[in-house]
Amino acid sequence: MSVRGAVRVERVVTSGTFSLDGETFGVDNNVWLIGDDEEVLVVDAAHDAAAIHRAVAGRRVTAVVCTHAHDDHIDAAPALSALTDAPVLLHPDDNELWSLTHPDRAPDGELADGRTLTVAGIDLRVLHTPGHTWGSCSLHAPSLSTVFTGDTLFHGGPGATGRSYSDRPAIEASLRARLLTLPGTTVVHTGHGQDTTIAAERPNVPAA
């Protein structure tokens, strides 16, 4: 009988650009792999499908999950899907934004609030957290005391708004209702930059 390794979270940092509303910026993105020695789920296939594929290291990819459809989070998703035969999942409220980057290739499936994704025997619950974009989602893994927030919550507070497809009151409402209610010790794995915790960010989100 083969023994599977422990479930773990791995970070791959990739570099590229983010473009929206006529502006382009250089960015480093966090790509997250959640799984064990046999299978992984990939969160946010950014910039470099080959680098992410190398980190997968032959394991089965159960899904390529997009926390939102800004181009820096999805630009490598179709290529990674082709390399791994894994479906690309996105909340449908971001389909229009997705089409700006991939007009000829739709996502393979939909994220929905409350949906459970399972990898390596652990569950990740989808939390629809609109505001940074309308379809922004977070993934909560209670057994790992971890939440993957994309660009909705960072070390230091809420993600950016002020561009197309975003809204400041909406992101603050999402944070108060969906993320700050998680246990304070929950580790926040973000789309860019360093980790934080729910407790550390509660003071950084304005009250209603």
Side-chain angles (χ1 to χ4, degrees), residues 45 67 72 85 97-98 116 119 124 138 149 171 182:
T67 61
D72 59 318
D85 293 322
L97 189 53
W98 166 280
T116 297
V119 62
L124 297 98
S138 301
T149 59
I171 198 173
L182 299 176

Side-chain angles (χ1 to χ4, degrees), residues 3-110:
V3 178
R4 298 175 67 147
V7 176
R8 57 194 181 273
V9 176
E10 301 162 66
R11 184 201 319 246
V12 178
V13 178
T14 60
S15 300
T17 60
F18 163 59
S19 299
L20 189 65
D21 297 337
E23 295 183 278
T24 297
F25 307 90
V27 288
D28 295 329
N29 284 61
N30 294 327
V31 182
W32 299 102
L33 280 60
I34 308 107
D36 60 10
D37 291 339
E38 295 185 13
E39 63 181 22
V40 293
L41 179 147
V42 176
V43 178
D44 287 343
H47 308 308
D48 191 337
I52 302 166
H53 192 233
R54 286 193 297 272
V56 168
R59 292 172 288 180
R60 184 173 75 90
V61 178
T62 61
V64 178
V65 176
C66 307
T67 61
H68 64 291
H70 281 153
D71 61 354
D72 59 318
H73 289 255
I74 64 167
D75 49 4
L80 184 64
S81 176
L83 287 169
T84 61
D85 293 322
V88 177
L89 306 181
L90 176 73
H91 194 283
D93 286 356
D94 265 11
N95 282 348
E96 181 179 350
L97 189 53
W98 166 280
S99 70
L100 299 179
T101 303
H102 301 298
D104 300 319
R105 204 284 195 193
D108 301 300
E110 295 184 354

Side-chain angles (χ1 to χ4, degrees), residues 92-180:
D93 286 356
D94 265 11
N95 282 348
E96 181 179 350
L97 189 53
W98 166 280
S99 70
L100 299 179
T101 303
H102 301 298
D104 300 319
R105 204 284 195 193
D108 301 300
E110 295 184 354
L111 298 176
D113 188 63
R115 178 178 177 180
T116 297
L117 305 175
T118 302
V119 62
I122 68 157
D123 291 338
L124 297 98
R125 186 164 67 96
V126 177
L127 305 175
H128 183 210
T129 49
H132 181 66
T133 67
W134 296 123
S136 285
C137 289
S138 301
L139 295 177
H140 180 217
S143 65
L144 300 178
S145 297
T146 295
V147 63
F148 301 86
T149 59
D151 289 0
T152 294
L153 181 62
F154 289 125
H155 182 276
T161 54
R163 297 185 180 276
S164 299
Y165 308 98
S166 69
D167 181 75
R168 193 67 177 182
I171 198 173
E172 292 177 357
S174 291
L175 290 169
R176 288 190 296 264
R178 310 310 309 280
L179 294 183
L180 300 188

